């Protein structure tokens, strides 16, 4: 079975300037926008149709979108997949103090309200 590390290496090789795939090598964040939209729609279709086999496949396609954008970011010295992973982990831990800290919530509604407050606090810090 392939691993996440294998996936990183596969995407790097697809975009390799000498040995990579011509199509993959010429992609940019902008050129991949339609592919990202299409893959998101296919994930939603699989969910709507309760097609778990297809959902698994489509989530893989969506993950590939994240990976290729991360590889482009790495090549352009903007960000890496490690930065993406670190960012989402930090966000999830920060926005779930009732799971990772000592805050108590007693309902989904309270959890959602806390999420909104923390998200607004985060967004207020960004320009």
């Amino acid at each position: 079975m392939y691993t996440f590390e294998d996936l990183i290496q596969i995407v790097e090789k697809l975009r390799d300037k000498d040995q990579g795939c011509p199509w993959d090598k010429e992609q940019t964040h902008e050129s991949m926008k339609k592919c990202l939209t299409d893959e998101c729609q296919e994930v939603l279709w699989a969910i709507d149709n309760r097609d778990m086999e297809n959902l698994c496949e489509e989530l893989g396609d969506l993950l590939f979108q994240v990976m290729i954008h991360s590889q482009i970011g790495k090549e352009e010295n903007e960000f890496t997949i490690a930065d993406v992973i670190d960012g989402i982990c930090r966000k999830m831990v920060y926005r779930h103090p009732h799971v990772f800290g000592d805050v108590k919530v007693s309902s989904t509604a309270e959890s959602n309200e806390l999420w909104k407050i923390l998200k607004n606090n985060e967004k207020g810090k960004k320009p």
Side-chain angles (χ1 to χ4, degrees), residues 31-46 58 61-62 65:
S31 70
M32 293 297 295
K33 284 169 59 175
K34 175 147 179 26
C35 295
L36 180 58
T37 300
D38 291 347
E39 296 306 340
C40 288
Q41 289 174 339
E42 290 171 6
V43 166
L44 295 175
W45 182 92
E58 297 305 337
D61 292 346
L62 189 56
Q65 293 297 308

Side-chain angles (χ1 to χ4, degrees), residues 52-94:
M52 295 304 112
E53 183 176 334
N54 192 37
L55 178 58
C56 181
E57 178 183 342
E58 297 305 337
L59 287 171
D61 292 346
L62 189 56
L63 178 57
F64 178 75
Q65 293 297 308
V66 173
M67 298 302 295
I68 196 163
H69 281 281
S70 297
Q71 181 61 30
I72 292 167
K74 178 181 174 184
E75 293 165 6
E76 296 177 1
N77 295 315
E78 297 167 338
F79 61 90
T80 66
I81 189 62
D83 297 320
V84 173
I85 292 167
D86 181 66
I88 193 59
C89 288
R90 288 177 184 276
K91 181 186 289 186
M92 290 301 108
V93 169
Y94 173 75

